[in-house]
Amino acid sequence: MKLSIIVAVFGGAFLGIGIGLVMRAGAALDGIEVLAFYTMKRTSFTITEIILGINIIIFSVAALKFGIETSLYSVLTYFAATKTIDYVVEGIQAYTGMTIISAKSEEIKHQLINNLGRGITVYKGERGFLPGKFDVSVDCDIIYTVVTRLEMRKLKNLIYEIDSEAFVFANTIKEASGGIIKSRVKH
């Protein structure tokens, strides 16, 4: 059983590398990728989510003939493959939008621009409005920046060194272009 899990995970990773390289070149291996490319234009799902969904349906039907254990290993293989495809097609530097609300926003803005070299957008907002203190609020700057997945920890550490009570939240960005974001070379 242990070997089967290893084979499923690593097999999925190698499968994902192969499919990802083909998809990155703009081609498809079989009808599922073609269907995923077609469906992607009409839904908000990514190609890999569509491929995984179609394969789960196929594996569910196959479970009736080959057994649930075999079907679950196949799902695990394709789950590993879809994660690998994401890294191959989208790159390891997927973008994350970071929103920062802090009483020390001036210092944070300075550090983001001058030390991290990040572009920022500043929204004017109000802090406060807590339960029991709804009438208490203070004007503030809401800082928004886009970083790579690899820069997130560095950014959070920098923010919390300046203001340990800063409110920070992140959103995954599926697609980003323009501004100071480095454009990826498409082959």
Side-chain angles (χ1 to χ4, degrees):
M1 182 171 140
K2 191 175 187 181
L3 182 62
S4 299
I5 292 173
I6 292 171
V7 169
V9 171
F10 281 95
F14 290 128
L15 179 66
I17 289 169
I19 293 172
L21 290 172
V22 169
M23 291 174 73
R24 190 173 179 136
L29 291 174
D30 60 22
I32 293 175
E33 283 89 14
V34 173
L35 185 59
F37 278 124
Y38 177 77
T39 308
M40 183 188 74
K41 295 176 183 177
R42 289 161 175 66
T43 68
S44 60
F45 294 110
T46 64
I47 292 173
T48 55
E49 291 168 341
I50 295 167
I51 291 171
L52 181 62
I54 293 169
N55 280 314
I56 287 175
I57 292 168
I58 292 169
F59 298 143
S60 297
V61 173
L64 300 173
K65 178 157 177 92
F66 301 110
I68 190 78
E69 185 178 352
T70 304
S71 179
L72 290 175
Y73 281 126
S74 298
V75 169
L76 178 61
T77 300
Y78 262 87
F79 181 75
T82 57
K83 292 301 174 190
T84 307
I85 291 169
D86 281 339
Y87 282 110
V88 173
V89 173
E90 300 296 327
I92 196 162
Q93 293 192 1
Y95 293 107
T96 301
M98 301 286 291
T99 302
I100 306 142
I101 303 170
S102 169
K104 299 178 181 178
S105 61
E106 288 302 318
E107 192 175 343
I108 292 172
K109 288 190 286 189
H110 178 76
Q111 292 293 324
L112 287 173
I113 294 168
N114 296 319
N115 289 351
L116 289 182
R118 303 308 308 167
I120 63 172
T121 300
V122 178
Y123 298 100
K124 301 298 180 184
E126 291 181 74
R127 299 177 68 225
F129 304 106
L130 299 172
K133 299 180 183 177
F134 184 76
D135 56 336
V136 179
S137 67
V138 178
D139 290 341
C140 71
D141 288 341
I142 300 169
I143 305 165
Y144 184 80
T145 189
V146 176
V147 295
T148 65
R149 185 183 342 215
L150 302 174
E151 297 171 316
M152 274 183 60
R153 178 58 41 208
K154 185 177 181 180
L155 176 64
K156 284 182 180 179
N157 289 342
L158 182 135
I159 292 166
Y160 290 128
E161 282 177 18
I162 297 168
D163 183 4
S164 62
E165 295 188 14
F167 179 60
V168 180
F169 62 94
N171 300 81
T172 302
I173 297 174
K174 293 288 184 187
E175 198 172 311
S177 63
I180 64 169
I181 293 176
K182 299 173 192 161
S183 61
R184 294 186 204 142
V185 178
K186 299 287 182 185
H187 299 287

